[in-house]
Amino acid sequence: MINFNVLTDLALREGIERIGVGVVVRDASGRVLMIRRAAHDVLPGLWEYPGGGREDGEPVPAGAARELAEETGLTGLALEYVRHLDFVNQRGLRVRQFVFTAVVPDGTPVVLSPDHDGHQWAPADRLPSTSEGQRTVIEWLTDRLALSGWRPVGGYLTTVARPSSYGCFLVTDPQGRVLGMRSTINPGVWNFPGGNVEHGETPFTTAVREAQEELGLDLVAENPEVIARKRLVAVIHEQADTEYPVPVCGYVFDGGVLTAEQQARIRLDPAEHTEWRFETIHDWHAHMNPDRYRRLLQILRAHRSGTALYLERPGTIDDFEGIMVLVTDPAGRLLMHHRDDEPGIAWPGFWTPIGGWREADEAPQETAAREVREEAGIEITRVRPVPGPQHDLVSPLVRVLHAHWDGPESDLRLGDEGLAVRMVPLAEVLDLKVPPYMHHYLPLLAAAADQPTGRNS
């Protein structure tokens, strides 16, 4: 649907002083209805298509239908918006005329108003004496209609998918945790500050407005440098589904960091949300269904990459957001990482294989190589998927890979995360504090390396 309020507001910002309407009526033979101004009227004898000024407060399409009915007696026609025509009228005012078109059968009777004294159905290439602007509009429309499959924009828009759109902010705290707000209507849903784009808004201005309404904070004032950048984090296209039966295009922007003092001033709109919280990427998993959690992981990947990503939902079967890589050496040892013992991460204090989140548009092998380099300081080779079913405790969004390394253990270097890294004989892995899924994956490695797996295998 065309919002003519937006178009008229735009015209006023451009210096237009009056809004007009016009209708190019065509018959089945492609001729155009032209009416002649009466001798007592302004510009007597001038031929024109029906039109005039929009009345105060009148919707543009209604104004076009009214002028058509008053000047020709034609009513009930399906009007399609075509384009606009700018001109200066007899009073020296800048006018923007919104032009519509309609089709009637050959021989349709016309009843003229007192302001007109004649009419004719004229071929576009043999128009009577008219203004240059109106001639240009008619010729332009006729040329377009000659193109196969072309239709005026007002009608064409009724044939295409018209997704709704939204704008929102990704907001974090100083620890890097992500802000979510629990929906009042759907308590199982946690949202970013944002909402649907309204007429005349952009996704960014929507995000700013909605954040102020939902949080009680003006992010433009709270985080001026970040907001001024208008940094786009991700664009998400979601196909229609049973929950929301039209396509949706979402724009996620960087909302910056909220300090403890700023958080203390959050005031939720109870009609929208009942509570807010900051959680780690790991802990949000417990509050979201798998589909929404996947979307969160995708957005955070885009945020980490520093480059806006285009994302689709549903995604492909090859989508992944993290990896776990089982690195073995010729001696049959497995690279293990002693994780930090702190809340908000997976398996705190456990010994696990190297793992981590995908960056930008990496392939699984690229993510594996980077994570091992960052967490252990070594380069791996022959990276391949681990065959067999995935363990239930390993997310379907995580790719489990096997890789080789043949360097000395002295080359291992602990990165910025964790307490230690070391090569552990497969038979001794289960003597460590390891996640239950290691019982599933160790036999796969042992079979390949012909090594015992240790106790409880």
Side-chain angles (χ1 to χ4, degrees):
M1 180 178 178
I2 299 173
N3 188 321
F4 286 96
N5 291 332
V6 172
L7 298 185
T8 53
D9 288 344
L10 175 62
L12 296 176
R13 291 198 298 270
E14 294 176 358
I16 296 298
E17 298 167 283
R18 188 177 181 188
I19 298 299
V21 291
V23 183
V24 178
V25 181
R26 298 135 40 218
D27 66 9
S29 298
R31 297 173 302 178
V32 176
L33 174 62
M34 302 294 288
I35 56 179
R36 185 177 61 198
R37 293 197 179 196
H40 64 270
D41 196 20
V42 178
L43 301 176
L46 180 69
W47 291 86
E48 61 187 2
Y49 51 69
R54 182 191 66 161
E55 297 181 352
D56 290 342
E58 183 179 44
V60 169
R66 176 186 52 75
E67 285 288 344
L68 179 62
E70 290 175 356
E71 296 185 346
T72 68
L74 299 175
T75 60
L77 301 186
L79 303 184
E80 293 184 335
Y81 175 64
V82 174
R83 55 170 286 177
H84 74 261
L85 169 65
D86 288 348
F87 60 92
V88 177
N89 69 9
Q90 293 77 24
R91 299 179 182 176
L93 300 177
R94 294 182 61 191
V95 179
R96 175 158 296 174
Q97 181 187 76
F98 292 103
V99 183
F100 296 77
T101 190
V103 178
V104 297
D106 289 352
T108 297
V110 173
V111 179
L112 296 175
S113 71
D115 293 331
H116 296 87
D117 61 9
H119 79 278
Q120 62 173 288
W121 295 92
D125 58 354
R126 296 195 299 276
L127 295 175
S129 178
T130 186
S131 71
E132 188 60 32
Q134 291 214 353
R135 184 181 301 275
T136 298
V137 168
I138 293 171
E139 291 177 349
W140 178 91
L141 176 60
T142 302
D143 289 344
R144 294 299 191 280
L145 289 168
L147 301 175
S148 177
W150 188 86
R151 185 175 179 182
V153 63
Y156 172 73
L157 290 176
T158 66
T159 69
V160 297
R162 291 176 291 169
S164 66
S165 59
Y166 66 86
C168 63
F169 281 120
L170 171 62
V171 178
T172 60
D173 69 0
Q175 290 73 47
R177 299 178 301 175
V178 178
L179 172 64
M181 303 178 298
R182 186 192 291 272
S183 168
T184 299
I185 298 174
N186 298 308
V189 172
W190 292 81
N191 297 316
F192 288 166
N196 290 328
V197 175
E198 296 182 356
H199 292 304
E201 289 186 328
T202 67
F204 181 79
T205 58
T206 294
V208 171
R209 174 183 56 77
E210 288 281 352
Q212 185 163 11
E213 292 175 358
E214 295 177 348
L215 293 175
L217 296 178
D218 179 3
L219 291 184
V220 175
E222 300 290 344
N223 294 328
E225 293 184 2
V226 174
I227 302 303
R229 296 190 188 104
K230 298 183 180 180
R231 180 193 162 196
L232 179 64
V233 175
V235 176
I236 307 173
H237 184 274
E238 305 180 46
Q239 293 288 12
D241 58 23
T242 54
E243 178 182 356
Y244 204 78
V246 297
V248 180
C249 193
Y251 299 79
V252 184
F253 299 94
D254 185 4
V257 176
L258 289 183
T259 65
E261 185 275 330
Q262 290 170 315
Q263 294 173 37
R265 291 188 279 107
I266 291 177
R267 297 293 182 269
L268 296 182
D269 177 358
E272 297 268 3
H273 300 97
T274 58
E275 64 174 296
W276 59 270
R277 63 174 61 188
F278 287 89
E279 296 284 8
T280 66
I281 186 173
H282 174 264
D283 285 349
W284 272 123
H285 182 268
H287 302 287
M288 296 181 172
N289 66 36
D291 190 45
R292 287 184 174 271
Y293 186 61
R294 171 181 291 217
R295 178 169 57 181
L296 174 64
L297 295 181
Q298 290 177 319
I299 292 170
L300 294 179
R301 169 161 59 92
H303 189 256
R304 291 193 305 271
S305 75
T307 302
L309 297 181
Y310 169 71
L311 308 168
E312 291 183 350
R313 296 178 59 237
T316 68
I317 60 174
D318 295 327
D319 279 351
F320 79 102
E321 292 301 325
I323 59 91
M324 181 172 70
V325 56
L326 304 163
V327 181
T328 58
D329 66 6
R333 299 180 300 174
L334 176 65
L335 177 61
M336 296 295 286
H337 182 227
H338 192 188
R339 295 179 61 77
D340 291 307
D341 192 1
E342 59 184 37
I345 67 172
W347 306 109
F350 281 68
W351 286 85
T352 71
I354 298 292
W357 300 113
R358 182 186 186 186
E359 299 289 348
D361 57 355
E362 289 177 331
Q365 293 80 0
E366 293 172 324
T367 303
R370 177 183 51 76
E371 285 289 339
V372 172
R373 187 183 308 117
E374 292 175 355
E375 296 187 9
I378 60 175
E379 299 293 333
I380 56 177
T381 60
R382 291 185 283 168
V383 184
R384 61 176 180 80
V386 172
Q390 191 122 322
H391 192 275
D392 291 343
L393 291 179
V394 179
S395 168
L397 302 178
V398 172
R399 294 290 174 266
V400 181
L401 306 170
H402 177 219
H404 293 268
W405 177 61
D406 57 5
E409 189 169 359
S410 58
D411 285 351
L412 293 177
R413 296 288 184 272
L414 178 66
D416 295 335
E417 299 177 358
L419 304 175
V421 287
R422 66 184 176 93
M423 302 301 297
V424 179
L426 293 183
E428 299 175 11
V429 168
L430 296 182
D431 295 330
L432 303 173
K433 182 182 179 182
V434 296
Y437 61 70
M438 291 305 299
H439 294 265
H440 172 77
Y441 289 107
L442 277 177
L444 300 178
L445 295 177
D450 193 24
Q451 294 287 329
T453 60
R455 64 176 178 82
N456 300 327
S457 59

XYZ file of all heavy atoms in Angstrom, residues 315-380:
516
model
N 17.619 -20.954 7.640
C 18.903 -21.050 6.960
C 19.026 -22.364 6.221
O 18.068 -23.116 6.049
N 20.241 -22.654 5.777
C 20.496 -23.904 5.070
C 20.940 -24.971 6.057
O 21.307 -24.690 7.204
C 21.588 -23.708 4.010
O 22.846 -23.468 4.677
C 21.273 -22.511 3.120
N 20.934 -26.208 5.598
C 21.328 -27.310 6.476
C 22.812 -27.255 6.816
O 23.271 -27.908 7.749
C 20.987 -28.676 5.832
C 21.724 -28.832 4.487
C 19.498 -28.836 5.639
C 21.562 -30.197 3.865
N 23.579 -26.465 6.067
C 25.011 -26.360 6.323
C 25.349 -25.259 7.318
O 26.519 -25.054 7.635
C 25.766 -26.100 5.013
C 25.658 -27.270 4.054
O 25.594 -28.411 4.547
O 25.620 -27.042 2.832
N 24.346 -24.537 7.809
C 24.616 -23.458 8.752
C 25.281 -24.009 10.008
O 24.926 -25.084 10.512
C 23.312 -22.761 9.144
C 22.874 -21.747 8.101
O 23.668 -21.487 7.187
O 21.750 -21.231 8.225
N 26.238 -23.269 10.526
C 26.832 -23.619 11.815
C 27.256 -22.312 12.470
O 27.455 -21.294 11.806
C 28.033 -24.554 11.640
C 29.293 -23.847 11.215
C 30.298 -23.560 12.130
C 29.473 -23.447 9.894
C 31.449 -22.884 11.742
C 30.616 -22.791 9.495
C 31.617 -22.505 10.420
N 27.383 -22.334 13.787
C 27.800 -21.139 14.506
C 29.001 -21.388 15.404
O 29.551 -20.455 15.963
C 26.641 -20.567 15.328
C 25.508 -20.003 14.482
C 25.962 -18.893 13.557
O 26.858 -18.112 13.947
O 25.431 -18.803 12.436
N 29.386 -22.641 15.560
C 30.544 -22.944 16.386
C 31.186 -24.252 15.967
O 30.633 -25.012 15.160
N 32.381 -24.500 16.518
C 33.078 -25.761 16.217
C 33.639 -26.359 17.511
O 33.857 -25.656 18.505
C 34.229 -25.568 15.198
C 35.277 -24.559 15.729
C 33.700 -25.137 13.851
C 36.408 -25.148 16.505
N 33.827 -27.672 17.481
C 34.654 -28.368 18.459
C 35.618 -29.212 17.644
O 35.188 -29.962 16.754
C 33.807 -29.252 19.373
C 34.636 -29.987 20.425
S 33.603 -30.859 21.636
C 32.926 -32.191 20.640
N 36.911 -29.073 17.898
C 37.896 -29.767 17.069
C 38.735 -30.695 17.939
O 39.329 -30.284 18.934
C 38.772 -28.765 16.280
C 39.459 -27.772 17.187
C 39.786 -29.504 15.420
N 38.730 -31.954 17.563
C 39.492 -32.997 18.255
C 40.834 -33.131 17.532
O 40.915 -33.672 16.433
C 38.726 -34.310 18.226
C 37.307 -34.234 18.814
C 36.471 -35.420 18.383
C 37.354 -34.145 20.326
N 41.889 -32.615 18.159
C 43.218 -32.576 17.549
C 44.059 -33.707 18.125
O 44.292 -33.768 19.339
C 43.908 -31.221 17.802
C 45.291 -31.196 17.136
C 43.046 -30.077 17.294
N 44.503 -34.601 17.269
C 45.358 -35.703 17.713
C 46.736 -35.597 17.070
O 46.909 -34.952 16.035
C 44.734 -37.064 17.363
O 44.517 -37.134 15.949
C 43.415 -37.260 18.091
N 47.724 -36.257 17.703
C 49.085 -36.274 17.154
C 49.489 -37.707 16.837
O 48.737 -38.664 17.133
C 50.060 -35.598 18.116
C 50.229 -36.354 19.437
O 49.668 -37.473 19.575
O 50.914 -35.826 20.325
N 50.662 -37.935 16.227
C 51.071 -39.304 15.858
C 51.201 -40.245 17.045
O 51.122 -41.470 16.881
C 52.417 -39.083 15.164
C 52.346 -37.684 14.618
C 51.582 -36.927 15.654
N 51.364 -39.692 18.238
C 51.487 -40.537 19.430
C 50.130 -40.953 19.977
O 50.070 -41.652 21.001
C 52.282 -39.807 20.508
N 49.062 -40.550 19.322
C 47.739 -40.943 19.783
C 47.247 -40.122 20.955
O 46.419 -40.596 21.742
N 47.755 -38.908 21.082
C 47.305 -38.028 22.155
C 46.282 -37.022 21.622
O 46.251 -36.714 20.435
C 48.497 -37.298 22.770
C 49.529 -38.240 23.389
C 50.696 -37.466 23.974
N 51.381 -36.665 22.945
C 52.375 -35.805 23.197
N 52.773 -35.623 24.455
N 52.952 -35.134 22.226
N 45.466 -36.512 22.535
C 44.406 -35.574 22.187
C 44.681 -34.229 22.848
O 44.998 -34.158 24.040
C 43.052 -36.116 22.667
C 41.824 -35.217 22.459
C 41.543 -35.001 20.970
C 40.603 -35.831 23.138
N 44.548 -33.144 22.082
C 44.732 -31.804 22.624
C 43.531 -31.446 23.497
O 42.391 -31.444 23.034
C 44.874 -30.792 21.482
C 45.001 -29.321 21.889
C 46.244 -29.100 22.749
C 45.025 -28.428 20.661
N 43.800 -31.119 24.764
C 42.738 -30.768 25.706
C 42.991 -29.378 26.274
O 44.134 -28.957 26.488
C 42.664 -31.795 26.840
C 42.286 -33.198 26.369
S 40.602 -33.291 25.690
C 39.623 -33.182 27.200
N 41.896 -28.698 26.538
C 41.922 -27.307 27.001
C 41.234 -27.237 28.356
O 40.071 -27.638 28.491
C 41.185 -26.438 25.968
C 41.166 -24.982 26.297
N 40.025 -24.221 26.234
C 42.153 -24.121 26.686
C 40.307 -22.962 26.548
N 41.590 -22.882 26.838
N 41.951 -26.752 29.376
C 41.374 -26.608 30.711
C 40.659 -25.262 30.774
O 41.289 -24.200 30.752
C 42.469 -26.687 31.778
C 41.933 -26.839 33.163
N 42.737 -26.766 34.289
C 40.670 -27.074 33.624
C 41.993 -26.943 35.367
N 40.743 -27.131 34.990
N 39.334 -25.294 30.854
C 38.534 -24.071 30.744
C 38.533 -23.274 32.038
O 38.712 -23.815 33.139
C 37.098 -24.424 30.347
C 37.014 -25.045 28.964
C 35.602 -25.416 28.579
N 34.704 -24.269 28.530
C 34.663 -23.381 27.531
N 35.491 -23.510 26.501
N 33.805 -22.381 27.568
N 38.304 -21.961 31.891
C 38.167 -21.106 33.076
C 37.010 -21.604 33.932
O 36.005 -22.114 33.415
C 37.886 -19.661 32.650
C 39.082 -19.015 31.970
O 40.174 -19.040 32.555
O 38.916 -18.501 30.842
N 37.164 -21.446 35.235
C 36.107 -21.856 36.160
C 35.325 -20.610 36.581
O 35.527 -20.050 37.656
C 36.706 -22.549 37.378
C 35.633 -23.254 38.218
O 34.450 -23.203 37.810
O 35.988 -23.830 39.256
N 34.446 -20.168 35.669
C 33.671 -18.962 35.935
C 32.284 -19.108 35.339
O 32.081 -19.857 34.373
C 34.366 -17.730 35.351
C 34.579 -17.799 33.862
C 35.363 -16.613 33.332
O 36.285 -16.142 34.027
O 35.066 -16.166 32.202
N 31.295 -18.410 35.901
C 29.917 -18.554 35.397
C 29.771 -17.936 34.006
O 30.575 -17.109 33.576
C 29.085 -17.786 36.419
C 30.040 -16.783 37.006
C 31.382 -17.473 37.033
N 28.718 -18.384 33.314
C 28.391 -17.793 32.019
C 29.069 -18.419 30.830
O 28.913 -17.934 29.710
N 29.844 -19.511 31.059
C 30.459 -20.211 29.943
C 30.056 -21.677 30.008
O 29.570 -22.167 31.030
C 31.995 -20.088 29.943
C 32.598 -20.831 31.153
C 32.430 -18.629 29.936
C 34.119 -20.914 31.106
N 30.263 -22.387 28.911
C 29.959 -23.821 28.887
C 31.065 -24.601 29.595
O 32.244 -24.308 29.420
C 29.824 -24.292 27.437
N 30.672 -25.534 30.407
C 31.583 -26.454 31.076
C 32.705 -25.735 31.832
O 33.896 -25.970 31.597
C 32.182 -27.455 30.074
C 31.138 -28.188 29.294
C 30.853 -28.028 27.973
C 30.237 -29.178 29.786
N 29.817 -28.854 27.601
C 29.424 -29.591 28.702
C 30.030 -29.765 31.042
C 28.428 -30.532 28.836
C 29.029 -30.725 31.178
C 28.244 -31.094 30.078
N 32.376 -24.854 32.778
C 33.426 -24.147 33.526
C 34.255 -25.106 34.363
O 33.728 -25.986 35.042
C 32.633 -23.172 34.401
C 31.264 -23.779 34.514
C 31.022 -24.473 33.212
N 35.574 -24.959 34.286
C 36.478 -25.795 35.058
C 36.726 -27.167 34.472
O 37.527 -27.939 35.016
N 36.076 -27.508 33.362
C 36.262 -28.820 32.730
C 37.439 -28.778 31.752
O 37.872 -27.722 31.292
C 35.001 -29.222 31.963
C 33.891 -29.762 32.820
C 33.199 -28.950 33.718
C 33.519 -31.098 32.725
C 32.172 -29.449 34.485
C 32.484 -31.618 33.496
C 31.812 -30.786 34.385
N 37.921 -29.985 31.456
C 38.856 -30.173 30.344
C 38.033 -30.558 29.102
O 37.233 -31.490 29.155
C 39.860 -31.273 30.644
C 40.926 -30.880 31.637
C 40.833 -30.936 32.988
C 42.221 -30.383 31.324
N 41.998 -30.503 33.569
C 42.879 -30.163 32.559
C 42.916 -30.120 30.147
C 44.190 -29.682 32.644
C 44.212 -29.650 30.224
C 44.835 -29.425 31.452
N 38.200 -29.830 28.030
C 37.434 -30.083 26.811
C 38.345 -29.976 25.596
O 39.446 -29.400 25.678
C 36.291 -29.064 26.634
O 36.847 -27.785 26.312
C 35.431 -28.960 27.877
N 37.918 -30.491 24.452
C 38.638 -30.180 23.214
C 38.535 -28.683 22.916
O 37.712 -27.970 23.484
C 37.901 -31.007 22.151
C 37.187 -32.079 22.923
C 36.820 -31.437 24.235
N 39.380 -28.222 22.023
C 39.326 -26.814 21.602
C 37.981 -26.551 20.929
O 37.486 -27.364 20.152
C 40.469 -26.490 20.627
C 41.821 -26.696 21.309
C 40.336 -25.070 20.077
C 42.123 -25.714 22.414
N 37.388 -25.413 21.229
C 36.120 -25.049 20.602
C 35.956 -23.546 20.581
O 36.707 -22.802 21.227
N 34.988 -23.094 19.815
C 34.744 -21.653 19.769
C 33.699 -21.294 18.740
O 33.162 -22.153 18.030
N 33.428 -20.000 18.660
C 32.381 -19.495 17.790
C 32.940 -19.116 16.425
O 34.074 -18.685 16.295
C 31.694 -18.278 18.408
C 31.040 -18.537 19.726
C 31.398 -18.038 20.941
C 29.908 -19.378 19.949
N 30.555 -18.501 21.917
C 29.627 -19.334 21.336
C 29.101 -20.163 19.132
C 28.582 -20.032 21.914
C 28.045 -20.862 19.703
C 27.795 -20.794 21.081
N 32.095 -19.250 15.450
C 32.416 -18.854 14.079
C 32.582 -17.338 13.986
O 31.921 -16.584 14.692
C 31.281 -19.311 13.164
C 31.454 -19.027 11.692
C 30.184 -19.417 10.958
N 30.314 -19.311 9.508
C 29.305 -19.484 8.662
N 28.096 -19.766 9.135
N 29.497 -19.374 7.360
N 33.450 -16.882 13.091
C 33.621 -15.465 12.810
C 33.235 -15.188 11.358
O 33.577 -15.964 10.461
C 35.071 -15.029 13.037
C 35.580 -15.213 14.455
C 34.969 -14.245 15.445
O 34.314 -13.282 14.999
O 35.125 -14.455 16.659
N 32.538 -14.075 11.148
C 32.174 -13.606 9.795
C 31.603 -14.754 8.971
O 30.675 -15.427 9.390
C 33.374 -12.961 9.120
N 32.179 -15.011 7.794
C 31.653 -16.055 6.914
C 32.606 -17.240 6.811
O 32.705 -17.890 5.776
C 31.362 -15.491 5.523
C 32.594 -14.858 4.882
O 33.645 -14.776 5.561
O 32.508 -14.450 3.712
N 33.310 -17.549 7.887
C 34.253 -18.666 7.894
C 33.577 -19.992 7.568
O 32.421 -20.227 7.927
C 34.916 -18.802 9.264
C 35.904 -17.717 9.621
C 36.449 -17.895 11.030
O 35.734 -18.449 11.891
O 37.583 -17.465 11.270
N 34.333 -20.870 6.923
C 33.951 -22.268 6.792
C 34.333 -22.989 8.080
O 35.175 -22.498 8.853
C 34.661 -22.894 5.598
N 33.748 -24.169 8.366
C 34.080 -24.866 9.616
C 35.580 -25.109 9.787
O 36.123 -24.937 10.882
C 33.303 -26.180 9.494
C 32.144 -25.848 8.614
C 32.659 -24.855 7.634
N 36.263 -25.499 8.690
C 37.694 -25.765 8.789
C 38.477 -24.503 9.144
O 39.477 -24.560 9.876
C 38.212 -26.352 7.468
C 37.681 -27.743 7.150
C 36.274 -27.736 6.564
O 35.662 -26.678 6.388
N 35.751 -28.920 6.262
N 38.009 -23.363 8.629
C 38.690 -22.102 8.935
C 38.490 -21.717 10.392
O 39.426 -21.241 11.053
C 38.169 -20.996 8.018
C 38.524 -21.189 6.551
C 37.820 -20.186 5.651
O 36.652 -19.844 5.934
O 38.444 -19.756 4.657
N 37.277 -21.914 10.900
C 37.027 -21.623 12.305
C 37.879 -22.520 13.192
O 38.458 -22.056 14.189
C 35.542 -21.826 12.638
O 34.747 -21.005 11.784
C 35.249 -21.470 14.090
N 37.967 -23.792 12.846
C 38.763 -24.731 13.640
C 40.228 -24.315 13.671
O 40.869 -24.287 14.742
C 38.625 -26.142 13.066
N 40.788 -23.997 12.511
C 42.201 -23.621 12.450
C 42.461 -22.358 13.268
O 43.461 -22.256 14.000
C 42.611 -23.410 10.995
N 41.570 -21.379 13.165
C 41.760 -20.128 13.911
C 41.654 -20.357 15.408
O 42.470 -19.844 16.195
C 40.735 -19.095 13.457
C 40.820 -17.783 14.232
C 39.745 -16.797 13.819
N 38.410 -17.376 13.842
C 37.715 -17.611 14.954
N 38.242 -17.345 16.150
N 36.503 -18.145 14.899
N 40.645 -21.108 15.848
C 40.457 -21.334 17.277
C 41.645 -22.085 17.886
O 42.102 -21.753 18.982
C 39.154 -22.088 17.527
C 37.898 -21.249 17.376
C 37.723 -20.228 18.486
O 38.324 -20.409 19.565
O 36.989 -19.240 18.273
N 42.150 -23.084 17.184
C 43.305 -23.822 17.708
C 44.528 -22.907 17.769
O 45.311 -22.938 18.722
C 43.595 -25.069 16.840
C 44.909 -25.729 17.269
C 42.453 -26.065 16.944
N 44.672 -22.067 16.770
C 45.799 -21.122 16.755
C 45.682 -20.154 17.927
O 46.671 -19.859 18.611
C 45.811 -20.360 15.437
C 47.018 -19.455 15.216
C 46.894 -18.686 13.921
N 46.603 -19.573 12.806
C 45.478 -19.518 12.084
N 44.538 -18.626 12.358
N 45.288 -20.351 11.081
N 44.466 -19.645 18.189
C 44.283 -18.670 19.251
C 44.395 -19.290 20.641
O 44.945 -18.673 21.559
C 42.907 -18.007 19.109
C 42.773 -17.108 17.889
C 41.368 -16.553 17.710
O 40.461 -16.955 18.487
O 41.172 -15.720 16.810
N 43.886 -20.509 20.807
C 43.823 -21.104 22.143
C 45.023 -21.976 22.474
O 45.308 -22.218 23.653
C 42.538 -21.927 22.288
C 41.266 -21.081 22.202
C 40.015 -21.866 22.506
O 40.133 -23.032 22.950
O 38.915 -21.336 22.295
N 45.749 -22.460 21.446
C 46.879 -23.354 21.716
C 48.152 -22.945 20.990
O 49.216 -23.523 21.240
C 46.516 -24.787 21.328
N 48.076 -21.997 20.061
C 49.272 -21.489 19.403
C 49.879 -22.396 18.363
O 51.058 -22.245 18.026
N 49.127 -23.352 17.828
C 49.678 -24.292 16.849
C 48.831 -24.292 15.579
O 47.702 -23.804 15.572
C 49.747 -25.721 17.425
C 48.338 -26.204 17.811
C 50.691 -25.769 18.624
C 48.297 -27.652 18.265
N 49.413 -24.862 14.508
C 48.733 -24.969 13.223
C 48.351 -26.429 12.976
O 49.195 -27.323 13.094
C 49.629 -24.472 12.090
C 50.028 -23.015 12.209
C 48.857 -22.062 12.056
O 47.871 -22.445 11.372
O 48.918 -20.939 12.595
N 47.104 -26.661 12.643
C 46.607 -28.012 12.427
C 46.471 -28.300 10.941
O 46.442 -27.390 10.109
C 45.251 -28.222 13.127
C 44.223 -27.173 12.658
C 45.423 -28.186 14.634
C 42.838 -27.360 13.247
